[in-house]
Amino acid sequence: MVSLTLPDLGWDPSFDHVRDEHDVAGALRPARVTLQGRDVWRVHDGVDESTLGVRGRLRAEPHALPVAGDWVLLAGTTRDDSVIEVVLPRRSSLVRKVAGSRTEEQVVAANVDVVLVAVPAHSVNPRRLERELTLVWESGARPVVALTKSDLAGDVEAVLDEIRAVALGVEVLAVSSYDGDGLDHVRALIPAGATLAVIGPSGAGKSTLVNALVGYEALATTAVRDDNRGVHTTSARHLVPVPGGGLVIDTPGMREVSLWADEEALDDAFRDVEEFAGDCRFSDCSHRTEPGCAVLAAVDAGLLDDDRLAGWRKLQRELAHLARKQDVRLALEERRRWAQISKAQRARPRP
């Protein structure tokens, strides 16, 4: 990585107070995680970049492990004796549910200001985009949608209109890493000190876009097949500087976009449904069979797409199911905790 200072990496005076809370003795130094791989963390402390391990107590809590974009405090003075001691609180967290049946969160990137959702021109999926935007609204970062590989779109404006119908209140860009169209608009999203994360499916051209932004082959890519779908999947999360601007994080292609959010994020992603719902006769209207449902009336009048409402219903059911599973998991964890306390008390010698 090129020479960077802490402000270049996004550190500002507001972090000083947070640092002091976690480093009363002033013995630790701040750094930012620039790469997260399998049991690998690369950090930059404003002087040098190095690959370090984490303190054992962090490994004992998987959710406490640092991710790309995290600010951490390092113990030690040299590369050989340095270790990640503390992960500072995150200003924003891009989080999804882990793949499979486990009810656990997976933090994709931290301390991100803007999340660019890459939608490849050859494969626009409105329902997937709704999921991705819900995740971004939940993260606390600003969502922006980029139609990537726009040079392959027959009618760019028609595809952009299709995306805008889903990405309400969100800036939508057309970008081509091949001919450079739209790259300046993306660069404008990340002034010095700001961080942008790029998410999207495999084959969306995320790594190629990052390479185009930074002006060199920062991330490995492979050839594209004849059907214009990428064959490379990034397996690590990299944070790299953009010349004359901020930083960008490339993320692995998400085959499964499982939500880890709440109703408020869903409302942000479906502002049209929420707006119509405000006129429903009943405040707890489920928008299915109730009389006086303004949402159903909007569908009948052609003001709201039926597929859009179906997508909202599916995500609402998914979030409700997630909430129930979280409640059960928390109850089981609390039960285990008290069982351990009781066992420890029984094991104590009686006076």
Side-chain angles (χ1 to χ4, degrees):
M1 181 176 284
V2 297
S3 176
L4 295 171
T5 65
L6 285 178
D8 292 333
L9 291 162
W11 186 273
D12 61 57
S14 65
F15 278 113
D16 292 332
H17 177 66
V18 179
R19 172 190 178 181
D20 292 342
E21 289 181 347
H22 293 81
D23 182 22
V24 178
L28 308 178
R29 66 186 193 280
R32 195 163 191 198
V33 178
T34 59
L35 182 144
Q36 172 203 0
R38 290 184 178 275
D39 204 33
V40 172
W41 291 271
R42 189 179 298 160
V43 304
H44 201 303
D45 63 1
V47 176
D48 196 10
E49 190 175 32
S50 56
T51 301
L52 304 177
V54 300
R55 188 66 74 186
R57 57 181 172 73
L58 294 178
R59 294 182 182 277
E61 302 178 33
H63 300 309
L65 290 173
V67 302
D70 262 325
W71 282 102
V72 297
L73 298 181
L74 308 180
T77 57
T78 68
R79 283 191 176 192
D80 293 336
D81 68 359
S82 292
V83 65
I84 297 175
E85 185 77 31
V86 176
V87 179
L88 294 179
R90 294 159 178 155
R91 288 182 172 178
S92 64
S93 299
L94 184 62
V95 183
R96 68 169 181 171
K97 177 185 169 294
V98 296
S101 59
R102 289 182 299 156
T103 308
E104 296 178 12
E105 64 177 341
Q106 178 187 26
V107 182
V108 178
N111 299 309
V112 172
D113 301 291
V114 180
V115 176
L116 190 74
V117 183
V119 179
H122 61 268
S123 181
V124 178
N125 185 336
R127 305 289 80 83
R128 178 189 173 96
L129 179 57
E130 290 167 348
R131 286 177 170 272
E132 291 168 326
L133 287 173
T134 302
L135 290 182
V136 180
W137 283 117
E138 176 69 18
S139 74
R142 171 190 167 199
V144 175
V145 178
L147 174 67
T148 56
K149 305 184 180 182
S150 61
D151 54 290
L152 301 177
D155 187 341
V156 174
E157 282 304 317
V159 181
L160 289 175
D161 287 341
E162 181 182 3
I163 292 174
R164 292 186 185 109
V166 173
L168 301 179
V170 175
E171 184 177 3
V172 179
L173 308 173
V175 180
S176 171
S177 301
Y178 176 75
D179 57 26
D181 286 350
L183 290 180
D184 286 342
H185 293 290
V186 179
R187 291 190 184 98
L189 299 173
I190 37 176
T195 302
L196 176 143
V198 185
I199 67 171
S202 296
K206 298 186 300 299
S207 296
T208 304
L209 173 60
V210 172
N211 288 335
L213 289 172
V214 302
Y216 64 95
E217 197 77 4
L219 306 176
T221 59
T222 58
V224 177
R225 301 200 309 251
D226 292 338
D227 60 2
N228 297 315
R229 299 181 71 90
V231 296
H232 168 74
T233 300
T234 303
S235 58
R237 299 173 179 88
H238 305 254
L239 182 147
V240 293
V242 177
L247 305 112
V248 60
I249 298 177
D250 183 39
T251 66
M254 292 191 286
R255 184 174 303 173
E256 178 181 340
V257 186
S258 298
L259 296 184
W260 190 276
D262 59 20
E263 290 283 346
E264 185 175 348
L266 189 64
D267 291 344
D268 286 331
F270 287 83
R271 296 185 180 185
D272 47 352
V273 177
E274 180 67 11
E275 183 176 345
F276 287 123
D279 294 328
C280 288
R281 181 183 302 177
F282 303 107
S283 59
D284 60 348
C285 184
S286 65
H287 317 311
R288 294 185 179 278
T289 59
E290 294 89 344
C293 176
V295 173
L296 295 179
V299 172
D300 291 339
L303 301 176
L304 181 66
D305 188 75
D306 191 48
D307 289 338
R308 174 81 166 159
L309 178 58
W312 174 83
R313 286 171 174 163
K314 182 174 182 179
L315 296 188
Q316 189 189 51
R317 289 195 302 270
E318 186 173 322
L319 289 180
H321 180 64
L322 174 64
R324 289 193 297 271
K325 292 183 70 175
Q326 285 176 306
D327 288 343
V328 171
R329 180 175 61 85
L330 291 174
L332 289 174
E333 289 177 355
E334 185 70 2
R335 189 182 306 169
R336 293 192 194 101
R337 188 176 74 87
W338 281 108
Q340 291 171 353
I341 292 174
S342 298
K343 182 177 181 181
Q345 288 177 336
R346 292 194 301 270
R348 290 177 183 173
R350 294 181 179 276

